Amino acid sequence: MHLPTRPLLGALLAALLTSAAAHPATDPSSATRAKAARFWVDPNTAAARQAAAYRAQGRTSDARLIDRIATRPQATWLYGPDPGPTVKAVTTAAQRAHRTAVLVTYYIPHRDCGAYSSGGAPDAAAYRRYIDSFTAGLGTRGAYVVVEPDAVAATLAGCQGADPHERHTLLAYALSRIAARPHTHVYLDAGNASWITDVPALATALRASGLNQADGVALNVSNYATNTVTSAYAHRLLTALDIGAHYVIDTSRNGNGPYTGPDAWCNPPGRALGTPPTTRTDDPTLDAYLWVKHPGESDGICRGGPAAGTWWEETGLELARNAKG
């Protein structure tokens, strides 16, 4: 489960009151838009609060380490029934800082496939209301949006409780509504390089979910595969899709690649921060490296970690300490 901590809406709204005047985004051509973004840094993440606490305690070396997380853009996850107010606050703060927000929709029915709970929206109608609230919150400010981590790949893997046809229909609804907002780039999650090895089947499921309405796919969310492995997988997938799609990679924790021991997905030791978020890439089909998963958040209670989505300072320090550069 990828559930992160909820952004503090009150703190964002307070920040807006003292921020600079709005700077409306321009709408350059699709060939240049993906390379123009400068992503927004949330000043009130758990990592930012941890760095401040370390400084107050005189732990300046540890504070500098956590700054490697706190000062870099991370996605805002929206997992409640009415995300609009938070989406509006985040995108307005980003716009006023002349930056672009990164958002994640995470409310598909049966989100957790019975592994932890039913998760997500109670039914299809509630999910459509969630998407309508999300898009209303976007307004015309735009964002990079990753749609429903795990949803397509988990369906192919036999997600308990999820009806494939309904899920594909809901994902298509989400993509159509979000992609219609100006200045917005939208990427449907497609899992990671080690999950769905039947690439043609994954391509079929993505097309059934309305991928033609999106900019492309998101890969490696909350995972550890290297950029090289993920890009090779992406190009196999893009070839199978054959619709001119692009991709983005979650590089938040892949600096040392995947762990080779047991339970490699859950709080693996010895990992490192990956490529900082940027739209500067050497691949014309790779639109951005993003930090979708928040580095330093627990994957679950394995290996002594706290509940999934909870800030865990020990792993935050480890990821930062092991980072290259």
Side-chain angles (χ1 to χ4, degrees):
M1 187 169 80
H2 299 311
L3 190 65
T5 51
R6 180 183 295 275
L8 296 180
L9 178 57
L12 282 171
L13 292 173
L16 292 178
L17 295 176
T18 58
S19 61
H23 181 75
T26 58
D27 189 21
S29 70
S30 59
T32 60
R33 273 187 306 175
K35 300 302 179 186
R38 299 172 66 190
F39 297 121
W40 179 67
V41 177
D42 184 348
N44 196 43
T45 61
R49 296 192 297 272
Q50 184 70 73
Y54 282 154
R55 287 192 169 86
Q57 298 162 13
R59 295 172 59 178
T60 54
S61 295
D62 287 342
R64 284 194 293 269
L65 282 174
I66 296 301
D67 280 342
R68 295 182 180 182
I69 300 173
T71 61
R72 286 171 174 160
Q74 300 168 51
T76 299
W77 293 59
L78 290 309
Y79 49 87
D82 183 21
T86 299
V87 171
K88 182 177 180 179
V90 168
T91 55
T92 301
Q95 184 186 64
R96 292 184 175 181
H98 301 184
R99 299 290 188 270
T100 301
V102 180
L103 308 172
V104 182
T105 69
Y106 197 54
Y107 200 58
I108 198 79
H110 303 286
R111 181 187 64 205
D112 303 325
C113 300
Y116 303 93
S117 65
S118 59
D123 53 40
Y127 185 71
R128 290 189 180 93
R129 289 193 297 271
Y130 164 88
I131 291 298
D132 291 347
S133 174
F134 184 98
T135 54
L138 273 175
T140 60
R141 289 172 294 280
Y144 276 57
V145 182
V146 174
V147 173
E148 300 300 333
D150 293 353
V152 175
T155 302
L156 281 173
C159 182
Q160 180 180 335
D163 173 72
H165 176 73
E166 178 184 81
R167 178 162 285 194
H168 295 322
T169 300
L170 291 177
L171 290 170
Y173 181 81
L175 293 177
S176 67
R177 294 281 289 153
I178 296 168
R181 306 311 300 170
H183 319 302
T184 297
H185 302 270
V186 57
Y187 302 87
L188 178 58
D189 186 79
N192 60 73
S194 62
W195 191 354
I196 304 298
T197 57
D198 187 344
V199 171
L202 177 58
T204 297
L206 290 165
R207 285 194 296 265
S209 300
L211 185 67
N212 63 304
Q213 302 171 98
D215 291 84
V217 297
L219 293 165
N220 205 49
V221 171
S222 297
N223 210 270
Y224 299 87
T226 65
N227 294 345
T228 299
V229 167
T230 301
S231 289
Y233 183 79
H235 282 279
R236 289 174 56 206
L237 179 58
L238 298 186
T239 298
L241 285 165
D242 194 27
I243 57 173
H246 287 206
Y247 69 107
V248 295
I249 301 176
D250 182 359
T251 57
S252 57
R253 307 185 297 177
N254 73 344
N256 280 346
Y259 181 64
T260 57
D263 295 325
W265 67 275
C266 193
N267 297 325
R271 301 310 91 201
L273 301 174
T275 305
T278 181
T279 56
R280 295 182 180 276
T281 76
D282 295 326
D283 179 347
T285 59
L286 173 55
D287 288 349
Y289 298 111
L290 303 174
W291 283 10
V292 183
K293 174 72 175 180
H294 293 188
E297 287 186 354
S298 175
D299 294 316
I301 59 173
C302 60
R303 294 190 169 95
T310 303
W311 169 257
W312 189 12
E313 63 180 284
E314 289 85 354
T315 196
L317 287 167
E318 181 180 47
L319 288 166
R321 190 178 294 115
N322 292 341
K324 299 173 178 67

